[in-house]
Amino acid sequence: MQNLTGKKALITGASRGIGRATALALAAEGVKLGLTATSKESLSGVEEELKKMKAEFYSAPADVSSEEEATQAVKQLEAELGAFDIVINNAGAAVRGKFMDLTAADWKKALDVNVMGIVHITKAALPGMIEKNKGDIINISSMSGLKGTEGSGAYSASKFAVLGLSESLMQEVRRNNIRVSALTPSLVETDLTRGDGERNPDKFMQPEDLAEYMVSQLKLEQRTFIKTAALWGTNPF
Ligand SMILES: NC(=O)c1ccc[n+]([C@@H]2O[C@H](COP(=O)([O-])OP(=O)(O)OC[C@H]3O[C@@H](n4cnc5c(N)ncnc54)[C@H](OP(=O)(O)O)[C@@H]3O)[C@@H](O)[C@H]2O)c1
């Protein structure tokens, strides 16, 4: 088992939901954090929580769909922390609607945030990881990356793309001792999915569950990695 203490992790979409829970879980393991989300304001809540934990963290807001902003944020965070050991590409946008209702702008948003966001952040962080000859990149896809459902065309297409790019990058950088994996969770109770009334917390995954899983995965000896992990709630429907 690897000790995560002192490692440096970049987390996108760290302000809320799965990203926030992952930041708190990694901080509890003594990981130093570089955080991004769309704005300083949205990051302020998790920053307060991390301060209370006396965690070491830096944050740099960026719209991950912008290559310029994403690259700048990674550079800024690397200037504070040095090259990253762990990158969690978690930022994502839920773009939903039936095929004939989705506009070109909807499709562009889904692909720009959910796919190009990962590309921009990873391109900026990867050279430092290759130099270290070690590292972990976890990309958050979705069950929608395995299965299309009514009204999920743009979101689903973007999450299928995350699996393709993750597997391809995994084959390229495993020789550099960098593990690239993708997670395909089913429904997790966050802002992205709330709104359909109260859900039974014993049946639906919580962001903390996914965070706990990622911590366990990251602790696996470097010789072992999980290419794709599907996490499901217990019989929620
Ligand atoms: N919840 C689920 O059921 C579920 C299931 C499977 C997969 N996922 C995936 O898990 C990831 C996290 O989801 P979540 O449920 O935790 O979502 P969430 O609570 O809605 O949080 C989304 C996060 O992404 C950030 N973000 C959104 N657009 C961005 C952009 N253009 N640039 C930078 N950051 C951006 C948000 O920042 P701001 O706060 O600044 O807006 C926020 O931190 C997503 O990739 C999602 O597709 C979620």
Side-chain angles (χ1 to χ4, degrees):
M1 191 191 282
Q2 296 196 60
N3 184 350
L4 301 182
T5 308
K7 291 200 180 214
K8 298 152 190 173
L10 169 61
I11 306 173
T12 71
S15 56
R16 297 185 271 130
I18 295 164
R20 169 191 160 273
T22 306
L24 298 178
L26 287 176
E29 296 288 330
V31 174
K32 300 175 185 180
L33 301 172
L35 309 175
T36 77
T38 61
S39 69
K40 260 193 135 9
E41 296 68 41
S42 67
L43 283 160
S44 61
V46 71
E47 286 177 348
E48 282 310 310
E49 293 178 276
L50 290 167
K51 274 182 205 158
K52 282 188 198 138
M53 294 172 75
K54 301 198 186 316
E56 182 173 345
F57 69 92
Y58 300 88
S59 47
D63 177 350
V64 293
S65 68
S66 153
E67 181 173 18
E68 198 185 333
E69 286 187 32
T71 307
Q72 182 53 39
V74 174
K75 275 195 186 145
Q76 197 180 316
L77 295 168
E78 277 185 344
E80 300 286 359
L81 287 163
F84 287 102
D85 303 289
I86 299 165
V87 173
I88 312 237
N89 280 308
N90 163 76
V95 178
R96 300 200 188 273
K98 290 203 174 179
F99 187 84
M100 289 306 290
D101 297 329
L102 287 171
T103 63
D106 293 328
W107 279 88
K108 190 167 174 352
K109 181 175 179 189
L111 297 170
D112 280 353
V113 177
N114 297 349
V115 184
M116 295 314 295
I118 295 181
V119 173
H120 299 324
I121 289 286
T122 305
K123 272 189 96 168
L126 192 56
M129 300 175 92
I130 289 176
E131 206 162 304
K132 285 187 167 190
N133 199 39
K134 200 174 181 191
D136 277 275
I137 299 173
I138 300 181
N139 296 329
I140 312 295
S141 173
S142 168
M143 186 176 70
S144 301
L146 298 169
K147 193 175 177 321
T149 51
E150 199 177 328
S152 79
Y155 184 71
S156 207
S158 74
K159 294 298 188 180
F160 267 74
V162 171
L163 294 188
L165 83 85
S166 300
E167 182 158 355
S168 173
L169 181 61
M170 177 274 276
Q171 297 291 5
E172 285 184 35
V173 299
R174 59 192 297 199
R175 71 196 64 159
N176 303 101
N177 216 16
I178 297 170
R179 306 184 288 196
V180 181
S181 62
L183 308 188
T184 62
S186 67
L187 201 145
V188 182
E189 188 77 16
T190 69
D191 292 350
L192 199 94
T193 49
R194 249 185 291 272
D196 308 337
E198 278 293 299
R199 292 202 180 97
N200 181 348
D202 294 332
K203 297 282 182 186
F204 284 86
M205 283 190 293
Q206 303 298 310
E208 292 72 22
D209 302 329
L210 222 58
E212 194 181 338
Y213 171 78
M214 281 189 253
V215 169
S216 311
Q217 183 179 308
L218 290 165
K219 283 184 176 176
L220 284 174
E221 289 295 340
Q222 205 71 20
R223 59 184 173 241
T224 305
F225 74 97
I226 291 162
K227 190 187 81 175
T228 311
L231 295 102
W232 290 59
T234 55
N235 189 24
F237 300 107

